């Protein structure tokens, strides 16, 4: 048997370096250690999962802080381009069949029928579970993929099982009418009809438009450490995400309608545009998971102000300073107290040169202290979410919820993405967005513009959804998607 270290061109693989062992024999079959290795990987993943779900309030709250190792390798199974594009990639139909077979026969028999029987490579089988081939794995033997495959199998088996009694649009309409405590979890997709871009759409999302900033990852725009180092980076794009209107979409109106009918338990929103408030969602029914532009705080003195105070600076791409700090500085200067400004720190080379956002209105030889920088009260990467989010899910909603509706989000940002997996698995879960979400087994997937889907749902429920953006006598073409029993596409029929 050949062996080698898990490195390519001298570069260590992500995570601990491991030993790669070629388990194939001369006749192409797989040696006995294979199943033991895969089962060991699966067992390890299960232990990690069990530890995350231990009983007790403390462990439940700690669960929100974890980030998943496999996330870097998971691709959206709903993306048709993921399948059939290469010889070593499963087709969509194959992926569905493999996942179904795994649940039917269990992991032991599944491994026997696939890898042990040499009917498919581990590399290719990984794609059936949404795991793409890491670039650093290229050239390694197939056995290098066993840990990833074990992880994929464990993840699939740990997914919530779809409830078989809910399959149609009318089933969803019936759930709307009978449910009394509905959780609605929303993302940027509910605001795009108002001209506010989402973040991850391939060509139109905000992240796709930030290449000019020279960042290794566009998400760094919302990294708290980078903001502390150079707030000009965030302020240069803030105008693109700052809500320019108080209008709200038909989907916002749908959530308000649930509230008016006494059915809304909580609207968990990942959006920072504060349009839920404009739509009339009551503060006690709304959890703004990632904060909003409604308020802003000074990074130095922590003074909080109405967000509109810094809107002009945000729209101009100009770093806003704290008025309270400025007032204190002027009072200090009036009494002759001056401090030498500390030297600027050097930002990482991957960022563009720092702009001079500090005040230097006087031309004297010395520097005066700089007023604090204002930051909108949105949650950046690296900042903890509000305790209200954790407490609402863990201590309140989990025991009351009877229907979950996820709208306009790909559920890729933790810990909000983990909410649906944390709720009781026997509670129906519905998904509404333009593209499917592969890593959660929803009971019914409704794909299309969110505004179109909710308008059709209300029509089937016998509810009147009034909104100026919904055309009168609008007709919707609803089609079931091939290969799925409970996935539908929605398109408005041109008048």
């Amino acid at each position: 048997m050949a062996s080698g270290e898990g490195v390519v061109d001298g570069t260590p693989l992500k995570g601990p370096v491991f030993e790669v062992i070629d388990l194939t024999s001369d006749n192409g079959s797989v040696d006995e250690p294979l199943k033991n290795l895969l089962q060991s990987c699966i067992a390890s993943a299960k232990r990690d999962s069990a530890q995350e779900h231990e009983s007790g309030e403390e462990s439940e709250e700690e669960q929100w802080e974890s980030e998943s190792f496999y996330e870097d390798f998971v691709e959206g199974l709903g993306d048709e381009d993921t399948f059939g594009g290469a010889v070593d990639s499963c087709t969509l139909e194959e992926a569905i069949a493999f996942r179904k077979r795994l649940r039917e026969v269990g992991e032991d028999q599944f491994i026997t029928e696939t890898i042990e029987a040499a009917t498919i490579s581990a590399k290719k089988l990984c794609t059936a579970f949404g795991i793409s081939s890491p670039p650093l794995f290229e050239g390694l033997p197939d056995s290098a993929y066993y840990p990833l495959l074990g992880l994929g199998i464990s993840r699939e088996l740990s997914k919530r099982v779809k409830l078989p009694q809910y399959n149609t649009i009318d089933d969803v309409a019936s759930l709307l009418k009978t449910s009394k405590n509905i959780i609605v979890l929303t993302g940027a997709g509910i605001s795009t009809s108002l001209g506010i871009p989402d973040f991850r759409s391939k060509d139109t999302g905000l992240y796709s438009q930030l290449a000019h900033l020279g960042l290794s990852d566009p998400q760094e725009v919302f990294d708290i450490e980078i903001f502390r180092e150079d707030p000009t980076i965030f302020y240069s794009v803030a105008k693109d995400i700052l809500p320019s209107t108080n209008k709200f979409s038909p989907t916002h109106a749908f959530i308000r309608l649930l509230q008016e009918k006494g059915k809304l338990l909580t609207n968990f929103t990942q959006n920072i545009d504060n349009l839920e408030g404009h739509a009339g969602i009551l503060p006690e029914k709304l959890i703004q998971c990632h904060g909003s532009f409604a308020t802003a705080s000074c990074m130095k003195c922590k003074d909080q102000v109405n967000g509109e105070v810094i809107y002009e600076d945000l729209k101009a791409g100009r770093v806003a300073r704290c008025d309270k700090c400025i007032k204190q500085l002027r009072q200090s200067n009036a009494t002759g107290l001056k401090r030498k400004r500390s030297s600027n720190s050097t930002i990482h080379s991957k960022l563009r040169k720092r702009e001079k956002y500090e005040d230097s209105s006087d031309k004297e030889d010395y520097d005066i202290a700089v007023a604090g920088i204002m930051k909108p009260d949105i949650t950046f990467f690296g900042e903890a979410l509000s305790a209200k989010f954790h407490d609402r899910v863990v201590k309140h909603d989990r025991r009351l919820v009877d229907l979950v509706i996820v709208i306009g989000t790909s559920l890729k940002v933790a810990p909000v993405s983990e909410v649906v997996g944390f709720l009781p698995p026997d509670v129906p879960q519905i998904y509404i967005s333009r593209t499917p979400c592969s890593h959660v087994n929803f009971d019914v997937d409704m794909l299309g513009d969110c505004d179109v889907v909710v308008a059709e749902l209300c029509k089937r429920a016998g509810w009147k959804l009034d909104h100026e953006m919904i055309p009168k006598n609008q007709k919707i073409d609803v089609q079931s998607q091939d290969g799925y029993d409970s996935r539908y596409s929605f398109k408005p029929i041109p008048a």
Side-chain angles (χ1 to χ4, degrees):
M1 294 185 181
S3 66
E5 291 186 344
V7 296
V8 177
D9 294 331
T11 304
L13 294 171
K14 186 171 184 178
V17 174
F18 59 86
E19 185 179 22
V20 176
I21 304 173
D22 186 357
L23 297 178
T24 57
S25 62
D26 293 339
N27 61 9
S29 63
V30 183
D31 287 345
E32 184 61 27
L34 165 64
K35 183 177 288 188
N36 294 334
L37 175 58
L38 277 176
Q39 289 175 335
S40 176
C41 294
I42 295 171
S44 176
K46 285 183 175 179
R47 284 195 299 271
D48 293 341
S49 177
Q51 290 172 358
E52 288 179 358
H53 291 84
E54 287 178 352
S55 60
E57 188 174 291
E58 181 177 353
S59 62
E60 288 175 344
E61 294 182 1
E62 288 175 351
Q63 178 180 339
W64 303 109
E65 305 303 327
S66 62
E67 291 186 6
S68 178
F69 161 80
Y70 80 94
E71 191 170 302
D72 289 341
F73 305 123
V74 172
E75 299 291 342
L77 287 180
D79 184 356
E80 301 290 337
D81 296 334
T82 303
F83 303 99
V87 175
D88 54 0
S89 176
C90 289
T91 64
L92 177 60
E93 293 76 15
E94 288 173 334
I96 295 172
F98 278 127
R99 283 178 276 152
K100 182 179 180 181
R101 184 60 178 167
L102 172 63
R103 290 189 175 275
E104 289 174 346
V105 302
E107 62 197 51
D108 288 353
Q109 182 63 25
F110 182 77
I111 292 171
T112 298
E113 293 177 358
T114 55
I115 303 300
E116 195 170 7
T119 59
I120 186 173
S121 68
K123 178 181 180 180
K124 183 173 181 178
L125 190 54
C126 278
T127 66
F129 300 104
I131 299 179
S132 60
S133 175
L136 291 175
F137 277 47
E138 288 301 319
L140 295 178
D142 196 55
S143 55
Y145 292 85
Y146 295 161
L148 288 180
L149 179 57
L151 187 59
I153 289 174
S154 173
R155 184 70 179 183
E156 180 65 26
L157 292 174
S158 69
K159 283 183 180 179
R160 168 187 178 273
V161 177
K162 172 186 160 15
L163 302 178
Q165 65 268 40
Y166 305 112
N167 297 289
T168 68
I169 308 303
D170 289 333
D171 288 338
V172 179
S174 179
L175 284 169
L176 285 178
K177 291 187 288 185
T178 59
S179 299
K180 297 179 180 179
N181 290 294
I182 302 175
I183 284 179
V184 180
L185 198 161
T186 53
I190 73 169
S191 299
T192 54
S193 61
L194 301 171
I196 300 174
D198 63 12
F199 289 87
R200 291 179 172 79
S201 290
K202 185 176 180 180
D203 297 317
T204 59
L206 179 67
Y207 288 154
S208 68
Q209 303 173 31
L210 301 181
H212 68 281
L213 293 178
L215 303 173
S216 60
D217 182 345
Q219 292 183 129
E220 290 176 351
V221 167
F222 300 101
D223 185 289
I224 188 59
E225 294 303 325
I226 290 179
F227 181 87
R228 290 191 179 107
E229 185 71 34
D230 187 358
T232 63
I233 293 176
F234 167 78
Y235 271 89
S236 68
V237 301
K239 61 182 180 297
D240 297 323
I241 56 175
L242 181 70
S244 58
T245 177
N246 290 339
K247 293 182 178 179
F248 52 89
S249 71
T251 305
H252 290 100
F254 167 71
I255 301 169
R256 185 184 64 188
L257 183 61
L258 294 178
Q259 176 179 272
E260 292 171 350
K261 291 182 175 292
K263 295 175 176 291
L264 181 64
L265 179 60
T266 306
N267 177 194
F268 292 94
T269 178
Q270 300 173 88
N271 297 337
I272 56 179
D273 50 35
N274 200 39
L275 295 184
E276 294 82 7
H278 294 306
I281 307 302
L282 298 174
E284 59 266 29
K285 295 288 185 180
L286 178 64
I287 299 294
Q288 294 174 310
C289 306
H290 297 157
S292 78
F293 282 99
T295 58
S297 299
C298 174
M299 297 288 287
K300 179 181 287 187
C301 74
K302 310 304 179 185
D303 186 47
Q304 187 179 69
V305 300
N306 188 299
E308 294 182 358
V309 171
I310 68 169
Y311 272 18
E312 289 303 315
D313 291 311
L314 289 168
K315 292 175 182 178
R318 179 178 59 244
V319 176
R321 297 182 306 152
C322 175
D323 288 338
K324 183 177 180 180
C325 286
I326 293 174
K327 183 178 179 180
Q328 291 176 342
L329 283 169
R330 288 174 177 170
Q331 290 175 343
S332 297
N333 289 339
T335 59
L337 297 177
K338 298 178 180 178
R339 294 187 297 166
K340 186 177 181 63
R341 181 189 300 160
S342 59
S343 59
N344 292 337
S345 56
T346 303
I347 194 168
H348 194 277
S349 59
K350 66 183 176 182
L351 303 177
R352 65 194 179 105
K353 186 177 180 180
R354 181 172 182 161
E355 296 179 14
K356 295 182 179 178
Y357 60 86
E358 295 96 338
D359 178 71
S360 57
S361 56
D362 65 21
K363 301 298 182 180
E364 300 182 52
D365 295 337
Y366 50 81
D367 295 325
I368 64 173
V370 179
I373 302 302
M374 298 299 295
K375 172 185 168 294
D377 290 330
I378 59 179
T379 305
F380 278 47
F381 292 112
E383 290 186 304
L385 268 67
S386 167
K388 290 173 59 178
F389 167 75
H390 302 76
D391 293 346
R392 184 78 176 200
V393 177
V394 175
K395 299 178 181 179
H396 185 264
D397 288 6
R398 193 184 191 197
R399 59 184 173 83
L400 296 175
V401 61
D402 57 9
L403 176 62
V404 179
I405 306 177
V406 177
I407 314 179
T409 173
S410 58
L411 290 178
K412 290 185 177 180
V413 178
V416 178
S417 61
E418 303 298 334
V419 169
V420 292
F422 184 75
L423 298 173
D426 58 342
V427 174
Q429 297 186 0
I430 309 303
Y431 186 70
I432 301 172
S433 196
R434 289 181 178 176
T435 56
C437 177
S438 65
H439 55 283
V440 179
N441 285 331
F442 289 99
D443 298 308
V444 182
D445 298 306
M446 294 178 284
L447 308 181
D449 289 341
C450 301
D451 296 342
V452 172
V453 176
V454 298
E456 179 66 14
L457 271 181
C458 287
K459 179 180 178 181
R460 296 200 185 200
W463 297 351
K464 186 176 182 180
L465 182 63
D466 288 323
H467 196 282
E468 61 184 9
M469 292 174 63
I470 301 178
K472 290 183 178 180
N473 303 317
Q474 176 178 250
K475 294 183 179 180
I476 309 299
D477 178 31
V478 180
Q479 298 288 335
S480 60
Q481 287 204 350
D482 292 340
Y484 296 93
D485 296 328
S486 56
R487 179 174 291 179
Y488 304 87
S489 63
F490 289 67
K491 293 182 180 180
I493 299 174

